[in-house]
Amino acid sequence: MSGLSINAVTKRFGDFTAVDDVTLAVPHGTFVCLLGPSGCGKTTLLRMIAGLEEPSAGSIALDGVNMTALPTHKRDLGMVFQSLALFPHLTVGQNIAYALRIRGASKEAQRKRVDELLAMIHLPGFANRPVTQLSGGQRQRVAIARALALSPKLFLLDEPLSALDAKLREAMQVELRQLQQRLGVTTIVVTHDQREAMTMADLVVVMGKGRILQAASPIEIYRKPADAFVADFIGITNLLPAELDSAGRVTVLGAAVADLSLPSGMAKASVSIRPEDIRLTAPRQGTLDGTVTFVRDLGGTIETFVEAGGATITAVATPRERPQVQVGQTVGVLLPAESCVVVKA
Ligand code: ATP
């Protein structure tokens, strides 16, 4: 296969298993985000792809060539880490040209490539600046250019944007994605930020306890989470208990939801429903009634918290569809069956 194949890779540190039997096929040109909570094994998996950590079992291949035993410098990859590690005593141009110089590229070839890369990262004319005089975002771009100087087949980044403030970080996510699409380079980014993953990735790989819980497109992960953990980790969701009543109907918080079914053999489950899919209605017009406990008006969206059936349900509306509700009011909460995703409890 053209691209990266990770085959049954496991990494143990003593008797602790950090990465547990991970298999993943990444087609050439794909942007992958490894996403998950702290300690789930994302960085360890990335380090094995980079050759900085040796798998305890399994193999890793690039374009059909097994590279499990290859040292990092023979893997045809570029890397950016959280700490960036730019050389502080070198200029921007010298930093970017570093790998070219080591490889013995001519001065002219180095200058040409540096100019190309500076144009690519929107910093033309920066070659002679000391890196110590750059802003955080500029430094980030230089680290990216340096990693791409040799046009690697594989581009690996570990939390590359985490040191930036929120606004710059969001802008850089878009920039990084656009750059990757222009170059078509297979890219793997470790992040614990689901919004970042949704912005950039073709393929989001959600990990938990060393294992892959789901690998799919961002929208599929959002709309069809594989389990309650993934549903809760990606975006905001309402996870509500669902049961079968004596008549065989599915009930959520004790209220029957028409047209909803549980997978056979599953008597208890959770239903994940996104706040934007919930409608507030007049009392007795929805699936169940509840009491409004809080309204959070964030300008662009309005969140309404409703206490219903022993749970707090969050509904989100846009200002245009602003629900006319007040704290203390009884409302109906409509759970459309087509928006309910049944997940294992
Ligand atoms: P974070 O987002 O916090 O960086 P992560 O998902 O990247 O987390 P890893 O850094 O891959 O997680 O670590 C996974 C687990 O393996 C953690 O429990 C960590 O303590 C453990 N671990 C990582 N490297 C080593 C090591 N060299 N020796 C022992 N344990 C390690």
Side-chain angles (χ1 to χ4, degrees), residues 291-297 303-307 325-328:
T291 306
V292 176
T293 55
F294 197 76
V295 178
R296 173 155 52 196
D297 191 342
E303 298 174 7
T304 308
F305 298 89
V306 180
E307 198 81 32
V325 296
Q326 282 170 356
V327 171

Side-chain angles (χ1 to χ4, degrees), residues 48-64:
M48 288 192 282
I49 297 167
L52 298 170
E53 207 78 72
E54 197 187 333
S56 311
S59 65
I60 298 172
L62 186 59
D63 292 344

Side-chain angles (χ1 to χ4, degrees), residues 13 16 18 37-44 159:
F13 296 108
F16 177 75
S38 183
C40 71
K42 311 176 294 285
T43 295
T44 304
E159 302 266 6

Side-chain angles (χ1 to χ4, degrees), residues 11-14 16-19 34-47 53 82 158-159 190-192 207 209-210:
K11 179 66 188 181
R12 289 180 214 98
F13 296 108
F16 177 75
T17 305
V19 173
L34 301 178
L35 179 67
S38 183
C40 71
K42 311 176 294 285
T43 295
T44 304
L45 182 58
L46 192 81
R47 287 173 59 81
E53 207 78 72
Q82 189 177 348
D158 192 352
E159 302 266 6
V190 164
T191 180
H192 60 261
M207 294 181 65
K209 295 188 181 152

Side-chain angles (χ1 to χ4, degrees), residues 4 72 118 128 141 149 176 194 197 215 218 223 243-244 275 277 295 300-302 311 344:
L4 179 72
T72 300
L118 285 175
N128 296 323
R141 293 198 189 97
L176 184 55
Q194 51 96 14
R223 283 281 149 215
E243 291 182 28
L244 286 177
D277 292 328
V295 178
T301 53
I302 297 150
K344 249 188 276 168

Side-chain angles (χ1 to χ4, degrees), residues 50-52 69-77 79 102-103 150:
L52 298 170
L70 281 186
T72 300
H73 68 277
K74 293 203 172 147
R75 289 193 181 202
D76 200 358
L77 48 84
M79 278 185 281
I102 301 287
R103 298 253 165 146
L150 296 176

